[in-house]
Amino acid sequence: MKNEGVSAPLDKEIENNFMVVPEMWQDASVNGTIQKLAGMMDTPPMGLLGVSVCNDEKQWKYFIAVSSTKTSGEFEEYTVPASTWAIFSGTGTNQSIQELEQRIITEWLPTSGYEYANAPDIEVYLNPDPQNAQYEVWIPVRVRS
């Protein structure tokens, strides 16, 4: 899936990113980036995306993006490789998506028969209202060898 969006570097110390990512969303909301991206969205998944590229990449990155066939010179383009996805739905506050991701990694993944595949994690914000968010977490997986 081809994405258009903005990115920021991620720290390999995961805890530090709990500050960087929310600030990035806040800035994108205030400066009009989210509205511009929403206007480009034209292919599934239909929602604002948070794409964490952390696997074998030298520089880890976090993208705020949309899935789009359109190209804009204004945004960075990133293509998510084809993968098998485990998709988890949730609702609540934007904080609850981090709690869901934590449970997937610590509870579901170890007992699932799957392991992480070399592709980004994707957060799909179906309804971005911070107090009543509806979202999906897409985790790239492959059968554990």
Side-chain angles (χ1 to χ4, degrees):
M1 104 185 56
K2 183 178 92 60
N3 296 312
E4 288 277 325
V6 293
S7 71
L10 288 177
D11 197 310
K12 299 211 177 190
E13 286 295 324
I14 301 300
E15 294 296 314
N16 295 341
N17 298 319
F18 291 124
M19 301 288 281
V20 170
V21 171
E23 286 177 13
M24 188 179 169
W25 278 97
Q26 178 65 31
D27 290 348
S29 177
V30 170
N31 68 23
T33 297
I34 287 177
Q35 292 80 0
K36 289 178 187 172
L37 287 172
M40 294 181 66
M41 183 180 0
D42 66 358
T43 58
M46 297 300 280
L48 287 170
L49 309 178
V51 182
S52 299
V53 183
C54 302
N55 299 323
D56 293 340
E57 303 289 327
K58 289 182 186 133
Q59 173 61 66
W60 289 4
K61 281 186 168 186
Y62 183 85
F63 288 85
I64 296 174
V66 293
S67 184
S68 180
T69 59
K70 302 172 186 171
T71 301
S72 154
E74 186 174 358
F75 297 114
E76 195 171 341
E77 189 175 302
Y78 178 77
T79 300
V80 175
S83 186
T84 299
W85 303 95
I87 301 174
F88 302 85
S89 298
T91 61
T93 65
N94 286 344
Q95 180 67 34
S96 63
I97 196 167
Q98 292 176 346
E99 294 164 5
L100 174 60
E101 290 169 340
Q102 196 74 24
R103 288 199 333 266
I104 293 166
I105 302 307
T106 60
E107 297 172 23
W108 181 81
L109 197 58
T111 61
S112 68
Y114 291 94
E115 61 188 8
Y116 253 105
N118 187 21
D121 293 1
I122 302 173
E123 302 156 355
V124 181
Y125 294 93
L126 305 167
N127 169 14
D129 176 351
Q131 297 311 310
N132 185 29
Q134 295 177 343
Y135 49 79
E136 295 175 342
V137 175
W138 293 31
I139 303 292
V141 294
R142 64 176 172 236
V143 174
R144 191 174 292 132
S145 26

